[in-house]
Amino acid sequence: MFDAARSIVVDLVRRRPWGSSRLARTIDDAEESLSALRGWKRTVTMGLEEALAGGRWVSRDVRETWSQSAPLPSRHVTSLARNKKAGQEARELIAFTSGDLRALVHDTNERIRAQELVARRHFLNTIETQPLTDEQAAAVVTFDNRVQVIAAAGSGKTSVMVARAGYAIQRQLVPAERILMLAFNRDAAAELQCRVEERLEAAGIEAPGLTVATFHSFALSVIGSATGRKPRLARWLDAGGDIAMVCRLVDELRDQSPAFRDRWDAYRLLFARMSDDPSGGEPDSYDHSTRQTGYRTFKGETVRSQGERMIADFLFLNGVRYEYEAPYQHDVADADHSQYRPDFYYPDVDVYHEHWALDREGNPPPHFVGYTDSMQWKKAVHQQFGTTLLETTWASIIDQTGFGPLADDLTKAGLALDWNPDRPVPGATPVKHEDLARVMRSFMTHVKSNSLSRADLERRLEAAPRSVQRFRARMFLDLFWDIHNAWQARLAADDCIDFEDMLVQAATHLESGGIDMGYELVLVDEFQDASQARARLTKALVDQPHRYLLAVGDDWQSINRFAGADLSVMTSFAEWFGEGQTLRLQTTFRSPQSICDVASEFVAKNPRQLTKVVTSAHLGYGQAASLVRVRRFDEVSGAVARVLDDLAARVRTGEVTPGRSGMVEVDVLGRYRFDRDSLPRRTPPELKVTFRTVHGSKGLEADYVILPNVASGTYGFPSEVADDPVMSLAMAETDAYPFAEERRLFYVALTRARRHVTMIGVEGRESAFVAELLATKRLELSPLSTVDLSAPCPLCDQGVLVVRRRKADGRPFEGCSAFPRCRFTRSALSAASPMRLAASPGARRPN
């Protein structure tokens, strides 16, 4: 210890009755503490200097190692630091040790990044066929333990992955045999493998042992290495075979068990269309004669409530003839009551039926003012005239206890019930077997990916806030576990494994520490599609000190929730993988700025999407999107043909030039596979025309994109095939924003285009997405349309105003195309306003 400090300590001892031995211990303690502080400071400062000199990023794990080893000053050093004359070094050491190490490392890394961008410029300019942008280059040299890159569509995320691997090898940060690149399907993995081999070879970088794999193939290798027996994937899982297998298992269960058959049919036909909202959810029908908005039944009428619809459909499927809200046979109208109309009347046996809106405690909804008095009056009417009244309640129908007694009462009244789940339906479309099987398979994917047990689902069910969901979900879960058990039995009988079990088992082996695959750098593509099982597997791979993860994805393109994707893995990256860097690729090389603006504004309406400001690398702005509007659905194919013919004519005149492939590429993107029918039999030879589904177009691009069925309806775009509310039991979180995933899917469709997007719409059946783009003036009418453009609905912004005629007198009026959800109307004469948009003769064609 230096003399001044020693003299201070001695002086302190003299003023206290300490012996010489205590003085020695005090001096030794102070010297030891100061030495530790000096050593730690030297370690950190030298480490930072060496990192800066060598251009080596100071990783999170290195910083945490330093932080955890930081010594605490002893109390004697703390006392010494208070002395203004002799405590300067102690103060400086204490200040350094207790200072903001994070900020110090951050500042050093910023200098290293700037330095590397200059020093590695040749590499960064040549590793791909085009020089990396500043954003891409920064993502490559930011060599921290955890880096998430949020990449806009067409921003070159694959270039970042390839360059990152090359950088790690060239800079000797990680050897090639310890680098793993994970893709989500075989095509993506094959493309990535080809790309990395080609570009590293061109750069003169040898990469023996670098592994590119799909998550599933890699998971198989993990299980094989851990157990000595590599499992076999079930052959029937590919190309929709999993849905077909669920259908097959359901057929077998229905044949083997009458109880399962009855439960399956009851859920599919009566409960599957039920809203999760006890108040009824959104109406889907309108009765022009009664001007009543409500719910469409299998028979085709409009009833007032979900409960009434379930009863009406039950009666229809049993072949029971009924009349809905027919006038009571006696005139009972008085000063306080209008003529009585019971809910149901069975004319063959002269029996009435009231369905009371009562909960399990026998109470009506609080806002049903006077409901109890009305019930008493109706019952008194039947008693007065001696008419027979059957009764059911909302609670008994929802919890499934009411249909049995109703069937018994109808039988006693003299009606023969003939349950036929395959009875031809003239009204509302029943949920198909395949559609319910698809829901079951999606639910199973989430259950397995999230490692949920029966007990887990039971706990979630008990925590469900609404009784409607609980009773309905109970029925669903009983069916699900029967199907799940049959599925597992089929896997065991075939001595194979499915995708989800494969990922979960591989993750479990890695987490247990029984095996270490030895990869130090893991790069994951399309991270927005990660399931929790994939996240577990990824985390286990890098869950050791000084390992590196680069995850690249775009939350705006998360469209595979049905296959188990969990967007929260990306949006909660730090919670899964620990603190890390978040970088953005916001420059796209695909679409012009006009498409970037339209697509970005559209998808960002959902506040849960991560913020990005997407900028095009192309100078041209151009028209982003146009709408070809036709009168009827059977004109859609003709509209597609006109768009293709018009484009081909402009290719012949030289107005439109070939694209990268030497031809003008056109992708017709359908929301569903059956949209392929909109393609004409022959396409112009000047064009390369390809049909894909929007899901299948992910990662691809074309010069022009045509969306052939941008209409409202169950199978429109957005699809109105609603997720079953019970799905929330198996998912980590749900997104309540309307059409959240459909909105992202539409964004994917828009951003496949290098030049222009054309949508085909049908008058009066406008998609909510089209209406939104019209309301924000982001969509123009194509001169190829056969119908003028209509004004957006001023009330809901989810439809446009279309001309209709009143049934009573034939007079025209304008109503919202989103009817019956929106019931806005106005006189057709008031349509002469600036909101009325028509195609001008000189409307521009897309370039």
Side-chain angles (χ1 to χ4, degrees):
M1 182 184 296
F2 55 86
D3 293 338
R6 181 183 294 273
S7 66
I8 291 173
V9 173
V10 171
D11 182 63
L12 289 172
V13 173
R14 284 175 178 169
R15 285 185 276 146
R16 291 174 173 82
W18 288 359
S20 60
S21 62
R22 187 163 188 181
L23 170 62
R25 288 197 303 272
T26 300
I27 294 173
D28 289 345
D29 174 79
E31 287 181 334
E32 182 180 347
S33 181
L34 286 171
S35 178
L37 293 170
R38 292 189 198 106
W40 188 82
K41 180 179 180 181
R42 184 166 51 251
T43 297
V44 172
T45 54
M46 288 182 62
L48 295 176
E49 289 170 1
E50 289 174 0
L52 186 59
R56 301 296 182 96
W57 193 271
V58 183
S59 70
R60 178 201 69 180
D61 286 356
V62 168
R63 189 197 72 218
E64 289 185 352
T65 299
W66 288 344
S67 180
Q68 291 166 7
S69 65
L72 293 174
S74 70
R75 60 189 180 89
H76 302 109
V77 170
T78 302
S79 297
L80 176 63
R82 297 193 189 104
N83 186 282
K84 294 183 180 180
K85 181 178 179 182
Q88 181 175 348
E89 184 195 21
R91 287 193 298 272
E92 290 175 352
L93 289 172
I94 291 173
F96 186 87
T97 308
S98 60
D100 192 344
L101 179 61
R102 185 187 303 273
L104 186 61
V105 171
H106 172 76
D107 292 343
T108 302
N109 279 334
E110 287 297 304
R111 295 173 64 189
I112 292 171
R113 177 155 46 200
Q115 177 180 296
E116 283 292 277
L117 291 177
V118 174
R120 312 299 160 191
R121 180 47 57 189
H122 176 73
F123 168 84
L124 298 169
N125 283 348
T126 60
I127 186 62
E128 282 283 79
T129 55
Q130 297 292 325
L132 299 187
T133 65
D134 291 344
E135 292 174 328
Q136 293 171 327
V140 170
V141 304
T142 302
F143 213 85
D144 213 338
N145 296 107
R146 305 290 183 267
V147 178
Q148 178 177 219
V149 178
I150 302 171
S155 61
K157 59 183 176 61
T158 306
S159 294
V160 169
M161 295 184 68
V162 171
R164 175 74 156 214
Y167 180 79
I169 299 169
Q170 187 188 69
R171 299 284 283 115
Q172 298 182 344
L173 301 172
V174 180
E177 67 272 14
R178 291 185 173 273
I179 297 176
L180 172 65
M181 307 179 83
L182 291 172
F184 275 74
N185 57 55
R186 286 191 293 266
D187 290 343
E191 179 184 350
L192 186 57
Q193 177 84 56
C194 181
R195 181 91 159 262
V196 74
E197 289 178 354
E198 174 189 327
R199 297 315 307 164
L200 295 190
E201 181 180 355
I205 300 174
E206 296 184 0
L210 186 151
T211 302
V212 180
T214 65
F215 269 96
H216 294 129
S217 64
F218 179 73
L220 285 176
S221 67
V222 171
I223 299 172
S225 298
T227 65
R229 185 174 186 272
K230 186 176 180 179
R232 183 168 58 90
L233 184 66
R235 294 179 179 177
W236 36 266
L237 288 172
D238 287 333
D242 54 344
I243 307 300
M245 177 55 71
V246 173
C247 289
R248 180 177 174 181
L249 295 175
V250 167
D251 287 342
E252 292 174 357
L253 289 168
R254 293 177 82 234
D255 290 341
Q256 297 165 5
S257 168
F260 178 89
R261 181 180 63 243
D262 291 344
R263 287 186 288 116
W264 173 267
D265 289 338
Y267 188 88
R268 178 177 69 87
L269 296 168
L270 301 179
F271 289 86
R273 291 194 296 155
M274 184 193 301
S275 167
D276 190 33
D277 184 353
S279 65
E282 290 213 355
D284 58 12
S285 184
Y286 180 77
D287 188 326
H288 289 276
S289 62
T290 63
R291 298 185 178 181
Q292 177 66 46
T293 300
Y295 305 86
R296 186 170 174 81
T297 69
F298 290 158
K299 184 178 176 182
E301 77 262 280
T302 301
V303 298
R304 297 175 185 269
S305 70
Q306 289 192 101
E308 290 180 345
R309 177 170 66 183
M310 293 174 71
I311 291 173
D313 291 345
F314 172 80
L315 297 172
F316 176 86
L317 293 169
N318 275 288
V320 174
R321 194 163 71 96
Y322 68 88
E323 296 175 9
Y324 178 69
E325 290 193 341
Y328 186 58
Q329 58 188 270
H330 301 284
D331 186 359
V332 293
D334 57 27
D336 298 318
H337 304 92
S338 57
Q339 175 57 22
Y340 176 34
R341 291 176 176 267
D343 293 331
F344 298 94
Y345 174 60
Y346 305 107
D348 294 339
V349 291
D350 192 27
V351 169
Y352 294 93
H353 174 186
E354 281 288 359
H355 178 64
W356 309 118
L358 301 179
D359 60 19
R360 299 180 70 183
E361 285 71 40
N363 300 317
H367 60 282
F368 278 26
V369 179
Y371 190 81
T372 302
D373 292 341
S374 177
M375 285 177 56
Q376 296 304 320
W377 178 79
K378 291 173 182 178
K379 290 181 179 182
V381 165
H382 287 287
Q383 186 174 8
Q384 176 185 353
F385 291 98
T387 47
T388 302
L389 175 66
L390 307 182
E391 301 175 65
T392 55
T393 67
W394 165 248
S396 68
I397 293 301
I398 293 308
D399 69 11
Q400 309 158 47
T401 63
F403 285 118
L406 175 60
D408 292 341
D409 288 344
L410 293 173
T411 301
K412 290 177 183 177
L415 291 172
L417 275 63
D418 178 23
W419 175 260
N420 180 5
D422 300 317
R423 193 180 299 276
V425 175
T429 303
V431 172
K432 300 175 183 177
H433 287 281
E434 183 178 353
D435 290 340
L436 183 51
R438 184 173 288 104
V439 173
M440 288 286 176
R441 174 59 182 141
S442 183
F443 190 82
M444 182 189 299
T445 298
H446 285 281
V447 167
K448 288 189 162 197
S449 293
N450 299 340
S451 299
L452 296 174
S453 65
R454 186 187 293 259
D456 292 330
L457 290 178
E458 287 296 323
R459 282 191 292 270
R460 291 188 176 198
L461 179 59
E462 288 304 312
R466 296 189 286 263
S467 59
V468 172
Q469 186 186 41
R470 286 190 186 186
F471 289 122
R472 184 174 175 277
R474 165 64 59 201
M475 191 174 188
F476 180 94
L477 288 180
D478 288 344
L479 291 168
F480 167 74
W481 285 117
D482 287 342
I483 295 168
H484 173 274
N485 293 340
W487 176 280
Q488 293 301 110
R490 179 58 55 93
L491 290 175
D494 293 348
D495 190 24
C496 57
I497 195 171
D498 65 14
F499 293 123
E500 294 75 43
D501 286 342
M502 182 193 312
L503 293 170
V504 169
Q505 288 181 26
T508 301
H509 285 302
L510 291 170
E511 290 167 344
S512 68
I515 184 174
D516 179 8
M517 301 302 286
Y519 292 104
E520 296 177 13
L521 171 59
V522 177
L523 304 103
V524 182
D525 193 14
E526 302 287 2
F527 199 63
Q528 75 280 350
D529 290 333
S531 62
Q532 290 204 18
R534 286 184 173 93
R536 281 182 57 197
L537 178 61
T538 303
K539 183 176 185 295
L541 282 169
V542 297
D543 205 17
Q544 292 189 33
H546 310 298
R547 291 192 172 179
Y548 303 89
L549 169 65
L550 176 76
V552 184
D554 181 7
D555 67 300
W556 291 5
Q557 298 184 72
S558 178
I559 59 173
N560 289 315
R561 189 174 64 163
F562 68 93
D566 186 344
L567 188 54
S568 68
V569 172
M570 184 174 185
T571 56
S572 304
F573 183 82
E575 295 175 21
W576 271 97
F577 304 101
E579 178 191 348
Q581 306 276 336
T582 298
L583 306 176
R584 284 172 166 77
L585 302 182
Q586 302 183 118
T587 301
T588 181
F589 300 92
R590 179 183 300 155
S591 305
Q593 190 63 50
S594 55
I595 291 180
C596 294
D597 292 344
V598 171
S600 299
E601 178 186 275
F602 177 82
V603 75
K605 289 287 182 66
N606 184 346
R608 294 192 64 182
Q609 303 294 161
L610 300 176
T611 302
K612 287 187 287 293
V613 179
V614 183
T615 304
S616 175
H618 303 301
L619 296 177
Y621 201 88
Q623 178 188 352
S626 59
L627 173 69
V628 176
R629 197 171 186 229
V630 297
R631 293 190 183 281
R632 302 185 307 274
F633 276 106
D634 59 10
E635 297 178 21
V636 169
S637 180
V640 172
R642 288 199 304 277
V643 173
L644 295 176
D645 289 341
D646 178 72
L647 186 56
R650 291 188 287 131
V651 172
R652 291 192 294 271
T653 62
E655 182 183 348
V656 171
T657 57
R660 301 173 184 174
S661 66
M663 295 190 66
V664 174
E665 299 176 352
V666 182
D667 274 5
V668 179
L669 303 182
R671 175 60 184 85
Y672 291 97
R673 288 189 179 91
F674 60 70
D675 288 324
R676 181 187 296 273
D677 296 340
S678 62
L679 274 179
R681 292 184 179 179
R682 297 180 181 177
T683 57
E686 295 83 359
L687 309 176
K688 181 182 178 182
V689 182
T690 306
F691 175 83
R692 314 178 198 273
T693 63
V694 183
H695 280 98
S697 74
K698 185 80 171 295
L700 304 175
E701 57 188 73
D703 297 312
Y704 294 86
V705 164
I706 299 174
L707 306 180
N709 186 24
V710 189
S712 61
T714 302
Y715 297 101
F717 201 174
S719 168
E720 294 179 14
V721 178
D723 280 346
D724 195 300
V726 78
M727 289 294 295
S728 62
L729 291 178
M731 298 175 69
E733 62 177 19
T734 56
D735 192 339
Y737 196 81
F739 296 121
E741 182 135 340
E742 289 291 307
R743 182 172 290 268
R744 293 191 291 268
L745 190 63
F746 197 69
Y747 170 82
V748 168
L750 294 176
T751 54
R752 298 312 93 191
R754 302 189 194 107
R755 302 184 187 178
H756 183 79
V757 180
T758 301
M759 307 173 199
I760 313 296
V762 179
E763 181 185 23
R765 295 293 301 276
E766 272 73 17
S767 158
F769 291 168
V770 166
E772 182 178 318
L773 292 173
L774 290 174
T776 55
K777 297 181 171 57
R778 290 297 195 177
L779 191 60
E780 296 184 19
L781 186 68
S782 166
L784 300 175
S785 300
T786 58
V787 185
D788 283 350
L789 200 59
S790 299
C793 175
L795 181 61
C796 71
D797 286 335
Q798 295 184 6
V800 300
L801 298 182
V802 294
V803 177
R804 297 191 175 98
R805 294 189 177 275
R806 303 186 189 280
K807 287 195 171 183
D809 54 17
R811 293 175 57 191
F813 69 97
E814 286 193 324
C816 181
S817 62
F819 178 86
R821 290 192 301 271
C822 176
R823 298 182 63 180
F824 177 84
T825 61
R826 70 182 184 189
S827 169
L829 296 178
S830 67
S833 71
M835 295 182 66
R836 188 67 165 175
L837 306 174
S840 63
R844 292 181 292 113
R845 288 188 172 92
N847 294 323

